[in-house]
Amino acid sequence: MGTKNIHVVIMLFSLIGIEAISVQIHATPSEGILGQNSLQLRCSYTTVTGEFVTGVNIQAKINGQFKNIATFYPPSVPLNATLTTNGNYLSNRVTLINPTSSSTNSAVIQFSQIECEDENEYMCQVQYVGSGGSETSNSGVANLSVTGYPEQPKSEPVHIPSTGIEEGNNVVFTCTGNVGKPQGKFRWVRYRRNSNGNTIEETSYESQNTTAIEIPANCTFHGTSQLTLKMEQLDDNAIVRCQVAYQDVLQELYQQTNPINVHYSVRNVEVTKSPNIPIFTEGAGPISLTCTSDGNPFVINTGYTWYKESNTNMPLGTGAIYVISNVVKTDRYICVAQNSFNGQTFNMNNSIHIQIECSTIMIPILVSLVVILDVLQLGEIISLYILHKKGIVNIKTGKDNKIYVGVNSRNT
């Protein structure tokens, strides 16, 4: 075609008003996940008759300006797509794909590894020859965000005080760690347990705040949360758990305390007897009395002391079990239990009544003995009087004197 004909064609396109090339850019998906994940940044364009693409640039916003990070070529230009100097940070983790059609096609950056710096604004610029000579057409802006998954909290929750916790103390628990991006939070759960380690009560604390600081290098947020609990007896052997909630979904990412040791004073003292009957016969035995209690630390065997109510100044003995070998009198037996912690000593007591009743067989025997003794005493007095009259026995009375003295053993 002659030079005049070329000028005529260009002038004709100018008069007709051919539209500029159509360019679009989008990320699929629009939200990348930190790590080894697939993502495409695709620049698509459509030409019209008379427009010839000479090159495609995908740009990223660097220091406030859009700069080329990758250059692509149409099929008519036998060159491979390349990263620019500004795009070298993508090396070894992207694949560049040139357009394969001269009319409707796409230039693609295929990610295999997503990093935090990939979160950015992107544009696409297409260079072409049209009716007005060399032209460029730009796409709109595509935003690519990068999310980071949370991780298990760094360590088990720290609590202050860490030792010597008493019933009534306020204990502050602190949990820290990666809560992900978008920012997640920590959720607290207290598990009260029995002495066998079985959960008897579970309480969730949803309203505790999680403060977070963005860590750009890790594309995530570092979170901190605190929980304050007033310790009770039931919190002895309890576990407190800190668990990550990400995008309103509870994750299997948590740390928990070791069983918490909560000291509390001795209480719930009980005394039982064996055999467990209401009334015992005088002289019966043995009767075993057993004392039990609750406390932390638990009451050791020597922490139990026994008394009679009729004489509380004189302890009967120590130990959780006290045995009465031969009961002869109705009385109340008292058990005093004692435990100590943090320089303090605590006491609590309880008692049991032991009822004694004389045997019905023994009553007539006792009466008979009293009668016999009375008769013997009267006979002795008469005999002594006769001996006194005969001069065999001299009877003297008065303080500290025997009732009879000077007995002549031969005459007697």
Side-chain angles (χ1 to χ4, degrees):
M1 182 182 292
T3 304
K4 291 183 178 180
N5 292 335
I6 294 174
H7 286 298
V8 171
V9 171
I10 293 173
M11 289 177 64
L12 180 61
F13 279 129
S14 300
L15 292 172
I16 296 173
I18 298 299
E19 295 182 359
I21 193 169
S22 173
V23 184
Q24 294 180 336
I25 187 170
H26 57 273
T28 307
S30 61
E31 190 175 82
I33 300 175
L34 188 67
Q36 292 184 351
N37 291 285
S38 178
L39 182 143
Q40 274 192 356
L41 194 60
R42 180 181 293 270
C43 173
S44 302
Y45 58 87
T46 303
T47 62
V48 295
T49 304
E51 295 175 339
F52 302 96
V53 174
T54 59
V56 178
N57 292 309
I58 292 182
Q59 303 174 329
K61 200 170 190 178
I62 301 174
N63 296 326
Q65 294 182 337
F66 282 96
K67 297 182 179 181
N68 295 337
I69 59 173
T71 300
F72 302 84
Y73 301 96
S76 59
V77 180
L79 295 175
N80 293 326
T82 59
L83 292 173
T84 68
T85 301
N86 289 321
N88 281 337
Y89 69 93
L90 297 171
S91 297
N92 301 320
R93 57 189 186 90
V94 298
T95 301
L96 305 180
I97 304 173
N98 270 329
T100 57
S101 170
S102 59
S103 57
T104 302
N105 218 312
S106 302
V108 177
I109 298 179
Q110 178 72 50
F111 289 82
S112 59
Q113 177 81 20
I114 306 296
E115 295 185 1
C116 294
E117 57 190 336
D118 297 328
E119 180 170 291
N120 208 339
E121 296 178 4
Y122 296 89
M123 285 182 61
C124 182
Q125 184 183 77
V126 176
Q127 301 168 342
Y128 67 98
V129 175
S131 59
S134 295
E135 303 280 351
T136 60
S137 184
N138 296 324
S139 69
V141 175
N143 289 289
L144 173 60
S145 62
V146 177
T147 62
Y149 279 131
E151 299 174 346
Q152 186 178 24
K154 287 184 176 180
S155 61
E156 67 181 61
V158 176
H159 56 85
I160 299 175
S162 59
T163 59
I165 299 173
E166 299 181 19
E167 182 180 28
N169 285 165
N170 285 323
V171 178
V172 180
F173 299 84
T174 303
C175 186
T176 61
N178 172 12
V179 293
K181 181 185 178 184
Q183 179 189 331
K185 66 178 183 178
F186 291 118
R187 171 181 178 265
W188 293 93
V189 187
R190 176 181 61 187
Y191 299 93
R192 284 176 166 170
R193 310 185 309 161
N194 59 21
S195 58
N196 296 323
N198 298 319
T199 299
I200 57 175
E201 181 182 303
E202 178 181 335
T203 306
S204 299
Y205 300 89
E206 306 283 356
S207 61
Q208 306 307 119
N209 292 329
T210 299
T211 57
I213 300 174
E214 187 172 7
I215 311 297
N218 297 331
C219 202
T220 187
F221 284 86
H222 182 82
T224 301
S225 181
Q226 288 188 330
L227 173 69
T228 301
L229 295 176
K230 186 174 184 178
M231 294 290 102
E232 301 177 8
Q233 175 189 345
L234 290 175
D235 292 315
D236 184 41
N237 202 40
I239 285 175
V240 176
R241 175 179 294 181
C242 168
Q243 190 165 9
V244 176
Y246 181 65
Q247 296 184 334
D248 297 326
V249 177
L250 202 60
Q251 308 293 311
E252 286 299 318
L253 301 171
Y254 63 85
Q255 289 275 15
Q256 61 190 27
T257 64
N258 290 319
I260 301 170
N261 186 31
V262 179
H263 296 308
Y264 57 94
S265 61
V266 61
R267 61 198 61 181
N268 302 328
V269 178
E270 293 185 3
V271 182
T272 57
K273 58 187 176 182
S274 178
N276 187 20
I277 55 177
I279 299 175
F280 294 88
T281 303
E282 184 179 8
I287 302 172
S288 293
L289 305 182
T290 302
C291 194
T292 59
S293 64
D294 185 18
N296 184 29
F298 65 88
V299 179
I300 61 176
N301 195 51
T302 55
Y304 294 102
T305 307
W306 295 89
Y307 298 89
K308 281 185 179 182
E309 190 176 57
S310 59
N311 186 6
T312 56
N313 294 322
M314 181 67 68
L316 299 173
T318 59
I321 299 175
Y322 177 71
V323 178
I324 307 171
S325 299
N326 185 18
V327 288
V328 295
K329 180 183 178 182
T330 295
D331 212 330
R332 180 170 291 276
Y333 289 80
I334 302 170
C335 172
V336 178
Q338 175 181 292
N339 72 344
S340 302
F341 55 85
N342 294 342
Q344 304 173 85
T345 299
F346 303 89
N347 296 286
M348 183 66 66
N349 67 76
N350 205 342
S351 62
I352 193 168
H353 185 72
I354 302 298
Q355 179 70 39
I356 305 300
E357 193 174 81
C358 291
S359 171
T360 54
I361 298 175
M362 290 295 295
I363 291 174
I365 296 175
L366 291 174
V367 171
S368 300
L369 285 173
V370 170
V371 172
I372 291 170
L373 289 173
D374 287 343
V375 171
L376 290 174
Q377 188 178 18
L378 179 59
E380 183 182 33
I381 292 171
I382 294 171
S383 299
L384 289 173
Y385 179 75
I386 295 172
L387 293 172
H388 172 67
K389 286 295 186 179
K390 291 183 177 181
I392 298 174
V393 175
N394 294 323
I395 297 177
K396 294 182 179 180
T397 59
K399 186 176 181 180
D400 298 329
N401 287 328
K402 294 181 180 179
I403 194 170
Y404 53 91
V405 294
V407 178
N408 186 323
S409 58
R410 182 176 57 185
N411 294 330
T412 303

